[in-house]
Structure formats: C-alpha cells, structure tokens
Amino acid sequence: MSSATERARRDEAINRAYAVQVAEGSKAAALMGVFGLGVITLAHYRWPSFRRQTLQFKTFLVTMFATSGLVIGADNALLSHEAEFRQSENAIRRLAVMELSRQGLVPTESAIARWRDERARQEQR
C-alpha cells in the first residue's frame, strides 16, 4: 500500500474517532450537567448551609459535573470505538493472512498492504 493511501486511511480513521468522541462527549456533558443541576437544586432546598453558598460556587459545581461527564463520556466512547476498530482490523488481517498463505505467499506487512489495495480496487468495481 502506498504511503499516501495509508495516510489517507489513517486520517479517515482519526476523523471518525474524533467525531465519535465529540458526539458522545457532548451527550454525556449535557446529561451530567442536568444531573449536577438537579443535585445542586436539591442541596439548595435541603440544607440551609448550602443555601448560603454563592451563586458562583454553585455554578462551579454544576460545571464540574458537566466537565467530568464530558471527559468520561468521550473517553468511554473512544475506548469502545478503538476496540471495535481493532477487532475489524484483526479480522481483515486474518483474512489477508489466510488468502496469502493459500496462494503460497509469505504474509508480510507489504504483502498484506498489497492484498488490501487489491481488495479495495475489487470492491470499487
């Protein structure tokens, strides 16, 4: 596989992973922000000592909830995406190794890359 095609494939995978991270992180941030707002509202009406806290402090706490949701949600989504990507790559590599071995070729990295290029051309037809 030429370095340009390999680079394009990697860039596409990176962009896909980034999109997954942004989407899931945003959902988790919104969810945890709403949860934090609920917790802070409950604490405001439940405990008089918390009621005396400043609005800035309460806003900071809600922001902490949302930020932690963003980070944890994006990280979990990225880990899941990477695991799926790794499984699909391993399946393709296993298939390439089997087919190259059947042809009597040694399945080196360059042979697998050529096989991958040929397969991509056949799929485009």
Side-chain angles (χ1 to χ4, degrees):
M1 184 179 290
S2 69
S3 62
T5 2
E6 180 67 23
R7 196 171 309 128
R9 193 173 63 82
R10 285 183 188 164
D11 287 345
E12 181 184 327
I14 289 169
N15 290 336
R16 206 175 17 228
Y18 177 74
V20 166
Q21 228 180 348
V22 167
E24 293 300 317
S26 299
K27 287 179 194 174
L31 183 66
M32 287 301 290
V34 170
F35 177 74
L37 185 62
V39 168
I40 300 305
T41 303
L42 180 67
H44 176 79
Y45 287 110
R46 184 93 169 126
W47 293 288
S49 60
F50 190 80
R51 193 174 302 133
R52 289 189 293 269
Q53 297 300 319
T54 64
L55 179 62
Q56 291 85 357
F57 177 68
K58 293 174 187 174
T59 304
F60 171 72
L61 292 177
V62 171
T63 304
M64 280 180 42
F65 272 98
T67 304
S68 63
L70 171 76
V71 170
I72 292 169
D75 190 45
N76 285 340
L78 183 61
L79 289 174
S80 297
H81 176 75
E82 286 176 345
E84 290 172 11
F85 182 76
R86 203 169 24 254
Q87 283 179 347
S88 67
E89 282 294 311
N90 285 341
I92 290 171
R93 288 181 65 78
R94 266 194 303 275
L95 183 60
V97 166
M98 285 180 8
E99 285 191 20
L100 289 171
S101 296
R102 283 185 193 140
Q103 296 170 6
L105 299 173
V106 177
T108 61
E109 289 298 320
S110 57
I112 291 173
R114 280 192 303 273
W115 178 87
R116 193 184 281 248
D117 280 345
E118 289 173 16
R119 185 171 184 229
R121 277 192 297 261
Q122 289 173 357
E123 287 178 358
Q124 287 177 353
R125 292 181 197 169

